[in-house]
């Protein structure tokens, strides 16, 4: 059985993780597996697999999670969203993961697919906290202990403009049993540090893993801005992009450089973990590790034996 992520995180012991989405074809899945194998050399603490809006990748997510668990030494965490799902759906999904030996879940509310109109009053789940409750009680009934991660938003979640209320909602997720938080991607570390301080003041004491997204193209940035409403690209990053010749390769270099600097600074300031949004490619993450001068994640934790 692979470890619980909650057991891997400790003070001064950040986790390193990579996120993938499930490809739609077998050929795509095989290609992704080549990248996963390359990234396994970086010895991440865990990897995660996203869940399509409203359950659109329900089977694909499960297949990729179970295959990764079976065919690699990696600890893998499925994302699970509850929008448009019934309690019976969630029971079936939990049952499948429990039988496959999966013990970590990122519990999310999700959004209706393509932002289609959706009547939340008809929904069996309204918030991620309802899902966490359900996972906990299912686990108690079936004697399965899941480590549960939840989403956090350093720049705020668009549906709750009241940032004080938003913190109450995050705290409710922790009180329901969340073990750790993974943040939405952000590009200014001060947003993460301020979020961490606000969590601390609100009495939220679980580890906060930082979401890192190396920008790879202007098209990708536009897509990110659309998917993660409210996300801010700092002027300094935009200026760095404008200095380039506009080719995808030079924009990618700016993005990788930015993400490397973010990672270095976060590691210097006791980040709970670094979670890389890989976009199903290994190149950018491999380059970040290389530029940091390390072979794998084990070297990213402070090694007092190396005297300078
Ligand atoms: P919640 O915690 O339920 O919050 C949703 C909104 O409701 C927030 O504005 C919150 O403040 C508010 N709220 C919460 N409780 C209450 C309450 N009691 N009363 C009033 N308001 C309340 N989406 C996918 O579809 N698939 C994925 O795989 C996926 N992975 C993600 C991974 C990470 C690390 C992150 C950060 C996001 C991911 N998302 C994914 C996106 C996420 O599903 C959306 O951002 C969604 O809108 C919010 O999900 P949540 O779990 O934070 O919801």
């Amino acid at each position: 059985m692979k470890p619980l992520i909650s057991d891997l995180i400790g003070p001064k012991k950040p986790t390193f993780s990579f996120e993938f989405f499930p490809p739609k074809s077998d050929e795509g899945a095989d290609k992704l597996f080549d990248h996963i194998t390359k990234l396994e050399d970086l010895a991440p603490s865990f990897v995660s697999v996203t869940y399509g809006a409203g359950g659109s990748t329900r089977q694909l997510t499960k297949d990729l999670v179970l295959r990764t668990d079976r065919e690699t030494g990696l600890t893998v965490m499925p994302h699970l969203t509850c929008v448009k799902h019934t309690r019976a759906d969630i029971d079936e999904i939990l049952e499948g993961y429990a039988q496959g030996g999966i013990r970590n879940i990122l519990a999310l509310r999700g959004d209706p697919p393509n932002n289609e109109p959706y009547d939340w009053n008809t929904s069996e789940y309204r918030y991620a906290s309802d899902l966490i409750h359900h996972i906990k009680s299912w686990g108690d009934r079936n004697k399965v202990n899941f480590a549960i991660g939840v989403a956090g938003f350093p720049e705020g979640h668009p549906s709750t403009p009241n940032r004080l209320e938003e913190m109450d909602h995050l705290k409710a997720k922790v009180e329901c049993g969340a073990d750790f938080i993974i943040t939405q991607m952000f590009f200014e570390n001060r947003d993460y540090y301020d979020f961490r301080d606000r969590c601390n003041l609100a009495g939220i004491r679980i580890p906060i893993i930082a979401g890192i997204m190396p920008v790879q193209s202007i098209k990708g940035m536009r897509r990110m801005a659309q998917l993660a409403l409210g996300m801010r690209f700092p002027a300094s990053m935009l200026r760095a992009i404008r200095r380039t010749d506009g080719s995808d390769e030079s924009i990618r270099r700016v993005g990788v450089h930015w993400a490397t600097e973010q990672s270095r600074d976060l590691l210097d300031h006791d980040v709970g973990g670094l979670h890389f949004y890989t976009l199903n490619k290994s190149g950018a993450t491999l380059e970040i590790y290389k530029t940091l001068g390390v072979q794998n994640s084990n070297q990213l934790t402070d090694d007092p034996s190396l005297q300078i």
Side-chain angles (χ1 to χ4, degrees):
M1 188 81 66
K2 308 274 175 75
L4 291 177
I5 294 169
S6 47
D7 290 340
L8 301 175
I9 317 180
K12 311 252 171 211
K13 210 175 141 216
T15 55
F16 300 93
S17 49
F18 308 143
E19 179 175 311
F20 306 105
F21 58 85
K24 294 208 164 59
S25 65
D26 288 346
E27 195 196 350
D30 287 342
K31 243 189 191 158
L32 171 61
F33 239 75
D34 289 344
H35 288 293
I36 292 182
T37 313
K38 283 188 192 135
L39 289 171
E40 192 175 2
D41 290 344
L42 300 181
S45 321
F46 65 94
V47 298
S48 79
V49 180
T50 63
Y51 196 69
S56 54
T57 64
R58 179 170 166 171
Q59 191 59 42
L60 292 171
T61 298
K62 184 178 169 191
D63 292 346
L64 182 59
V65 166
L66 296 182
R67 179 175 174 193
T68 308
D69 181 70
R70 233 181 10 250
E71 295 182 20
T72 72
L74 296 164
T75 297
V76 52
M77 171 176 74
H79 297 204
L80 177 58
T81 67
C82 54
V83 60
K84 294 189 88 176
H85 276 337
T86 62
R87 285 174 199 283
D89 291 330
I90 298 291
D91 282 351
E92 196 185 310
I93 292 167
L94 294 176
E95 177 81 50
Y97 284 138
Q99 276 178 8
I102 303 300
R103 291 292 181 273
N104 299 287
I105 293 191
L106 187 67
L108 303 145
R109 184 198 70 178
D111 296 310
N114 305 318
N115 284 325
E116 68 191 30
Y118 184 66
D119 182 1
W120 288 99
N121 293 316
T122 60
S123 182
E124 289 195 24
Y125 299 93
R126 191 139 192 193
Y127 300 113
S129 50
D130 303 327
L131 176 61
I132 302 166
H133 247 297
H134 191 122
I135 297 173
K136 281 280 169 196
S137 62
W138 189 94
D140 288 347
R141 276 199 314 279
N142 294 281
K143 307 215 174 338
V144 176
N145 182 25
F146 285 109
I148 300 177
V150 292
F153 296 82
E155 295 179 85
H157 186 270
S159 355
T160 310
N162 181 330
R163 299 283 166 252
L164 295 176
E165 272 181 22
E166 186 180 32
M167 222 16 106
D168 294 339
H169 300 149
L170 182 57
K171 190 162 184 195
K173 293 200 278 194
V174 177
E175 284 166 353
C176 286
D179 295 292
F180 56 95
I181 296 168
I182 303 185
T183 76
Q184 181 63 284
M185 63 200 79
F186 59 89
F187 297 100
E188 286 282 17
N189 286 357
R190 64 167 180 257
D191 289 328
Y192 170 88
Y193 300 133
D194 183 63
F195 176 66
R196 184 171 65 179
D197 280 354
R198 285 185 287 124
C199 286
N200 196 25
L201 290 168
I204 296 171
R205 302 279 151 75
I206 59 176
I208 304 176
I209 297 174
I212 300 289
M213 164 77 95
V215 163
Q216 312 224 21
S217 66
I218 290 186
K219 195 167 148 223
M221 279 171 83
R222 291 200 181 283
R223 194 171 146 68
M224 269 187 258
Q226 184 63 36
L227 285 175
L229 291 177
M231 194 176 55
R232 197 166 53 85
F233 296 96
S236 171
M237 173 191 265
L238 297 176
R239 270 198 296 269
I241 288 174
R242 280 163 68 134
R243 270 184 222 115
T244 68
D245 58 11
S247 66
D248 276 358
E249 176 50 23
S250 51
I251 289 161
R252 203 178 145 279
R253 283 197 169 279
V254 170
V256 169
H257 178 246
W258 191 277
T260 308
E261 278 300 293
Q262 264 193 288
S263 303
R264 186 196 49 72
D265 181 72
L266 288 160
L267 288 168
D268 278 352
H269 292 91
D270 290 334
V271 69
L274 297 178
H275 182 74
F276 293 96
Y277 294 96
T278 68
L279 301 177
N280 282 9
K281 300 202 170 85
S282 47
T285 315
L286 288 165
E287 273 177 59
I288 292 172
Y289 274 63
K290 200 169 165 196
T291 312
L292 288 171
V294 298
Q295 309 285 333
N296 64 48
S297 307
N298 300 324
Q299 286 176 277
L300 283 171
T301 41
D302 217 0
D303 180 0
S305 67
L306 185 62
Q307 290 295 334
I308 299 165

